[in-house]
């Protein structure tokens, strides 16, 4: 069943998870697809369709149990998993990711940080000391990371990604703005600039309507 | 015409813009909707539909002129604009945004950085010196920023957003992970964690198919 689910649906699951978490914090026990739709800016039928991809979870005339649905979505997302993860490129962006993104809550556990720059190697961020890229192979053969965050310059990304694939890495979170490995390995590309350009369009579009 | 365009279509425009830029760098002059679709992982008919929202641009039997189409999309996105922009919260994330995101290329020009922390106020990033939040009102009344980047903690975001709206800010790029202003003002929320959870799902899903 899961293999048929489109990436567009999958991408909405973390949003459901987030909104359901907010409802839980507000003490809401149950919600109709219509109520959830309104909060999320979707339609009730889209929500029912999305969740039906995974087997439903709602009860006619009752709606969704918030805690249960959130638990189901967590388990669909694979959140009990903790993929061992390395982060390559400890500049401002890499540091921001280490300190701002709750990796553990989202299925990943950071086990090593790497950089090529002498002034960064050996510095600490939280519990981690930055290692030199020359130790990447030895580290990976020993620690077997399953995922990698690429917060390094675009030009360096493809070669580093290929090294990591050869070392068994099975998925990338890619901030390098470049194309990396092709094919079957999941790559989540984050293009922050796309969101900024969308904002530009939206501000302009509001102005034009005045 | 523009007011009818859905946000889903708008969100694809920066991707078109990016891919067309890559084609230009590779010296490609023209491309069919099928060729562009293959590169972008979309269908040719979706591309034709998307671009028809803005009036087409393709020629039957010829395809798209890469440079012209990119120019058209830039102008739809409003990229000649330079919205004066303040950034609030100069931690690792704020610094990463200032140094990694090409604001000018994407329709925004940074005119001021603000923080509340004594050890950050007065430090410089590129051409900018970090100002104290106590100077926000005076600065905005003088410089009239039109957009704001919120890279500050979630708890502080709504109050700061309200102050900025009162000062005339017309759009937000929000990294605080919280809900801010409701209503007509465009807000682009960036939830990095959503993309990480999607990666978790995709890695797991690949594993399950083996």
């Amino acid at each position: 069943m899961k293999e048929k689910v489109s990436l567009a649906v999958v991408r909405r699951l973390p949003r459901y998870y987030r909104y359901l978490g907010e409802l839980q914090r507000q003490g809401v026990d149950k919600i109709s697809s219509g109520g959830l739709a309104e909060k999320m800016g979707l339609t009730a039928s889209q929500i029912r369709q999305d969740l039906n991809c995974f087997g439903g979870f709602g009860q006619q005339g009752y709606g969704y149990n918030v805690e249960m649905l959130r638990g189901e979505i967590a388990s669909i997302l694979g959140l009990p998993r903790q993929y061992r993860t390395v982060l390559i490129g400890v500049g401002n962006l890499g540091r921001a990711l280490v300190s701002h993104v709750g990796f553990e809550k989202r299925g990943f556990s950071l086990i090593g940080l790497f950089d090529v720059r002498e002034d960064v190697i050996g510095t600490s961020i939280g519990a981690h000391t930055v290692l030199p890229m020359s130790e990447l192979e030895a580290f990976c053969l020993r620690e077997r990371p399953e995922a990698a965050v690429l917060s390094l310059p675009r030009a360096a990304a493809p070669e580093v990604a290929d090294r990591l694939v050869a070392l068994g890495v099975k998925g990338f979170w890619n901030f390098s703005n470049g194309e990396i490995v092709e094919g079957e390995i999941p790559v989540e590309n984050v293009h922050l600039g796309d969101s900024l350009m969308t904002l530009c369009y939206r501000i302009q579009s509001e102005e034009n309507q005045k």
Side-chain angles (χ1 to χ4, degrees), chain A residues 10-189:
Chain A
V10 171
R11 285 193 198 291
R12 280 194 289 273
L13 292 179
R15 285 187 64 205
Y16 288 118
Y17 185 73
R18 231 176 340 102
Y19 277 88
L20 292 164
E22 277 182 27
L23 289 172
Q24 269 190 302
R25 277 192 296 278
Q26 291 162 16
V28 177
D29 289 334
K30 63 173 188 166
I31 192 161
S32 64
S33 49
L36 190 56
E38 197 185 9
K39 254 190 107 56
M40 295 185 61
L42 301 169
T43 66
S45 93
Q46 186 169 32
I47 289 186
R48 283 191 300 266
Q49 268 178 39
D50 283 355
L51 298 179
N52 279 340
C53 295
F54 303 97
F57 316 123
Q59 261 179 280
Q60 194 85 44
Y62 172 90
Y64 298 105
N65 175 308
V66 170
E67 187 181 347
M68 210 181 75
L69 180 57
R70 187 159 183 262
E72 294 283 1
I73 290 176
S75 111
I76 293 167
L77 284 167
L79 294 192
R81 283 297 312 259
Q82 289 283 292
Y83 290 111
R84 290 184 300 283
T85 305
V86 290
L87 180 145
I88 319 288
V90 192
N92 283 321
L93 180 62
R95 274 170 209 276
L97 296 174
V98 173
S99 54
H100 284 77
V101 176
F103 282 95
E104 277 74 13
K105 279 190 297 184
R106 297 182 168 96
F108 297 85
S109 107
L110 277 181
I111 60 167
L113 313 180
F114 291 83
D115 206 299
V116 287
R117 289 165 301 169
E118 290 298 334
D119 57 329
V120 175
I121 294 164
T123 61
S124 289
I125 305 179
H128 302 284
T129 301
V130 180
L131 300 172
M133 279 301 280
S134 55
E135 290 181 19
L136 184 68
E137 272 72 17
F139 179 93
C140 291
L141 291 172
R142 194 173 67 239
E143 304 289 344
R144 301 278 171 203
E146 300 157 289
V149 183
L150 300 180
S151 45
L152 76 179
R154 180 185 180 128
E159 183 247 321
V160 168
D162 288 346
R163 279 166 75 184
L164 289 164
V165 170
L167 290 160
V169 162
K170 294 182 293 191
F172 289 94
W173 202 25
N174 179 25
F175 287 81
S176 76
N177 282 317
E179 308 269 323
I180 56 166
V181 285
E182 304 245 330
E184 289 138 55
I185 290 185
V187 178
E188 277 291 304
N189 294 305

